Amino acid sequence: MFKDNPIAEQAINSMLKTKKNMYITGDAGTGKTTLLNYFLEKTDKHVVVLAPTGMAAVQINGETIHSFCRFSTDPGWVMMEEGKIHKLRDNRKIKSIDTLLIDEISMVRSDMLDALDYFFRINKGKMRLPFGGVQVIFFGDHFQLPPVLRSEEKTIFYSKYDTEYFFGARVYQQLNISYTKLTKYYRQTDETFIRLLSYLRYGKANEEIIDWVNRKLLNKDKSALKNTIIIASRNQDVTNTNYKYLDELEGEVVSYRAILFGTFKDEMCPAEKFLVLKVGAQVMFVKNDIDKRWVNGTIGQVVELDKESIKVRIKQKVVEVELASWQNHTYRYDEEKGELVKELTGEYTQYPLRLAWAVTIHKSQGQTFDECEIDLGSGAFVYGQTYVAFSRCKSIEGLLLSKPLRLRDIKTDPKVFAFDQSVGWNN
């Protein structure tokens, strides 16, 4: 599958055939998710797949770190210092694990990674080995959105850790990580745009580059763009935009209620509990179609609605949209098989659509759009925001700005840049 991509081919061989601890990264659109899914499909290792958020866990059919470890909502350092990380009564499911895979590692805080390490050590019964001797494979992009560290936590947190990023965890230095950086682009093909994204990623943009971006994208003619989605930095702006445009449409509102089976927490729901649409509404698909009529992030326009059916125009083609299901899983030890098995704990069924005149930068991470309008509001306020927003689009021809880009919007954390420069990639 990766014959035209030697770096990816080497990575998949190492994942499948060795016990190396690995970190696999790459610019946005370089195939990290494809590689992850291929490994899970081909491996015969006993793998547990975890993610820092419910949404990320659902996308990879995994489980959240908190759910799997039965962690409280306390910070990782609190759980460790107050003895809140316990050996499970029945820890055979942990003992049977060969490999721990964590997706979106950039959003895992350093103290949480240490807490996860301690959990595996005590449940594996191997206190001297990182993660109790389990192979760990991290996927993610440290230049994208960072872990959350609330302002009230900062003083005490920084008295214990140098950085909130995963590479600041105490256990990280013990892992002897093998580093892979994917370099083949699949989302973008234009070299000028790829070079611009590199400037944004590494924080190397200057006034000349900013001026060029603004001249090219700020007063762009929208008439040639048919399905532009606004990528905005604030939730409220997105909500207001979507319902403003919906209200302006004539016609009857039709709503669709999601069907829930078992356990599915609100923050894990990949589609709206109550999907509200009108004919003419701009929508985004939030799940890949098995028949490949659309992918996660495809934009279309509603052309027909009734209680049992939704039809959407994608470019020049009208498709009928069926209900889709997402599953929530946990892991348990199967006594008869003597191994870890994945168990279904919940299923969420809804039409795989959401209103899509606007979306937040956080919600856009991991998605691909043909046409984007970027609205940073009063400015980027989180490291990686501008890079994530720009890199969602396939081409610079499909990109425009609602407000001028400023040099101070290019926010790259110096700690991330220093980490990136300090390791040996693809060695």
Side-chain angles (χ1 to χ4, degrees), residues 73-87:
T73 57
D74 294 308
W77 64 266
V78 170
M79 290 191 289
M80 288 184 287
E81 291 186 2
E82 297 185 1
K84 294 183 177 181
I85 301 174
H86 304 292
K87 186 175 182 179

Side-chain angles (χ1 to χ4, degrees), residues 13 32 52 121 134 136 159 224 260 266 292 301 345 408 427:
N13 286 334
K32 295 184 292 294
R121 290 187 195 227
V134 170
V136 292
S159 71
L260 176 63
D266 287 350
K292 299 183 179 181
Q301 185 180 52
T345 58
R408 63 176 180 268
N427 291 330

Side-chain angles (χ1 to χ4, degrees), residues 51-106:
T53 67
M55 285 288 290
V58 167
Q59 296 301 329
I60 55 172
N61 289 320
E63 190 171 356
T64 65
I65 293 170
H66 279 74
S67 172
F68 181 80
C69 299
R70 303 178 189 174
F71 282 166
S72 69
T73 57
D74 294 308
W77 64 266
V78 170
M79 290 191 289
M80 288 184 287
E81 291 186 2
E82 297 185 1
K84 294 183 177 181
I85 301 174
H86 304 292
K87 186 175 182 179
L88 301 178
R89 288 183 180 179
D90 184 356
N91 63 356
R92 287 176 296 178
K93 78 171 185 177
I94 310 300
K95 286 180 177 287
S96 68
I97 295 170
D98 299 325
T99 303
L100 167 64
L101 190 154
I102 303 178
D103 195 22
E104 298 289 2
I105 188 64
S106 69

Side-chain angles (χ1 to χ4, degrees), residues 99-342:
T99 303
L100 167 64
L101 190 154
I102 303 178
D103 195 22
E104 298 289 2
I105 188 64
S106 69
M107 300 176 72
V108 178
R109 231 168 60 176
S110 50
D111 60 326
M112 188 55 62
L113 192 62
D114 278 334
L116 183 60
D117 163 54
Y118 184 71
F119 172 85
F120 270 86
R121 290 187 195 227
I122 63 173
N123 279 285
K124 277 283 190 178
K126 299 178 180 179
M127 294 300 295
R128 295 185 178 182
L129 296 178
F131 291 92
V134 170
Q135 177 190 25
V136 292
I137 302 175
F138 302 141
F139 274 82
D141 181 0
H142 44 284
F143 281 102
Q144 294 194 34
L145 299 174
V148 175
L149 181 62
R150 294 189 293 270
S151 57
E152 63 269 21
E153 295 179 299
K154 289 183 178 179
T155 299
I156 190 165
F157 182 88
Y158 287 130
S159 71
K160 301 175 183 295
Y161 287 89
D162 293 331
T163 176
E164 63 271 33
Y165 293 96
F166 67 96
F167 51 79
R170 298 182 184 105
V171 68
Y172 194 80
Q173 304 308 317
Q174 304 171 32
L175 289 173
N176 191 26
I177 293 281
S178 172
Y179 293 96
T180 296
K181 182 180 286 186
L182 302 174
T183 57
K184 182 178 176 63
Y185 286 83
Y186 294 96
R187 182 178 296 155
Q188 294 91 11
T189 57
D190 176 58
E191 288 297 328
T192 300
F193 190 34
I194 290 172
R195 194 160 55 250
L196 171 61
L197 293 178
S198 180
Y199 292 143
L200 299 179
R201 175 184 173 86
Y202 292 104
K204 293 184 176 180
N206 54 35
E207 291 290 358
E208 182 180 355
I209 293 170
I210 297 298
D211 288 344
W212 179 84
V213 170
N214 286 330
R215 287 196 308 271
K216 190 169 185 67
L217 303 182
L218 191 56
N219 296 310
K220 200 168 186 178
D221 182 10
K222 293 185 182 182
S223 61
L225 304 178
K226 305 299 182 184
N227 295 303
T228 304
I229 185 169
I230 298 170
I231 302 178
S233 56
R234 300 181 187 277
N235 281 306
Q236 195 56 54
D237 292 341
V238 166
T239 300
N240 291 344
T241 297
N242 280 328
Y243 282 102
K244 170 182 175 291
Y245 281 107
L246 186 69
D247 289 343
E248 290 176 354
L249 290 176
E250 297 181 357
E252 179 183 356
V253 170
V254 183
S255 62
Y256 303 86
R257 183 173 182 172
I259 303 167
L260 176 63
F261 163 77
T263 303
F264 224 101
K265 295 180 180 178
D266 287 350
E267 64 269 21
M268 299 178 69
C269 295
E272 304 291 345
K273 282 188 173 182
F274 292 93
L275 177 62
V276 180
L277 298 174
K278 288 182 180 179
V279 171
Q282 181 163 293
V283 291
M284 176 176 68
F285 288 85
V286 294
K287 188 176 185 180
N288 292 338
D289 177 42
I290 59 173
D291 295 323
K292 299 183 179 181
R293 294 171 294 173
W294 60 78
V295 297
N296 185 12
T298 295
I299 304 295
Q301 185 180 52
V302 175
V303 295
E304 187 177 318
L305 289 173
D306 60 44
K307 285 294 184 181
E308 306 296 330
S309 173
I310 300 175
K311 291 184 179 179
V312 175
R313 178 180 291 110
I314 304 172
K315 296 181 179 177
Q316 303 304 316
K317 186 177 181 180
V318 174
V319 297
E320 183 164 356
V321 184
E322 298 84 17
L323 287 166
S325 292
W326 294 262
Q327 296 179 334
N328 184 22
H329 296 90
T330 189
Y331 293 88
R332 69 173 179 84
Y333 183 80
D334 187 300
E335 294 189 15
E336 291 185 5
K337 294 181 179 179
E339 63 184 38
L340 189 74
V341 295
K342 187 184 291 188

